[in-house]
Amino acid sequence: MDALFQNLSTVQSNLQPKPATIAAAATITPTGFLTFITGTTQIANITPPIDGGVCMIALVFTNANPGAFLDSGNIESTRDPAQNALILLVYNPVNSQWYVLP
């Protein structure tokens, strides 16, 4: 089992790290369930925070004009993000793709 699995749980304790803020880039690497994204760069790839398993992450874009998701990488379905709106994504390890929940 991946040692960081609890950091991705929707139920956490005060022992888990607080949500991280990372810059938008062509590839991002969230480290916990909730991540804040700054900047306007379009995201094509998301590195799964755990190896080999299904996981879900939540992203919140803080910029007034966030960059969109691109489907040219490992994001199978896309949705244009809006400022301060929560977006949930689920990773499927069978095809190594992320799915944006509607």
Side-chain angles (χ1 to χ4, degrees), residues 50-96:
I50 59 171
D51 291 328
V54 173
C55 67
M56 181 170 64
I57 59 172
L59 302 178
V60 176
F61 291 79
T62 61
N63 191 282
N65 296 304
F69 292 113
L70 298 174
D71 61 5
S72 59
N74 70 348
I75 303 172
E76 180 66 32
S77 62
T78 63
R79 187 175 101 197
D80 290 336
Q83 183 179 24
N84 298 321
L86 182 80
I87 295 180
L88 295 173
L89 297 99
V90 175
Y91 182 70
N92 177 2
V94 173
N95 66 356
S96 301

Side-chain angles (χ1 to χ4, degrees), residues 3 8 18 23 26-30 40 43 52 55 58 75 82 91:
L8 297 168
K18 301 296 182 219
T27 298
I28 61 169
T29 305
T40 60
I43 299 171
C55 67
I75 303 172
Y91 182 70

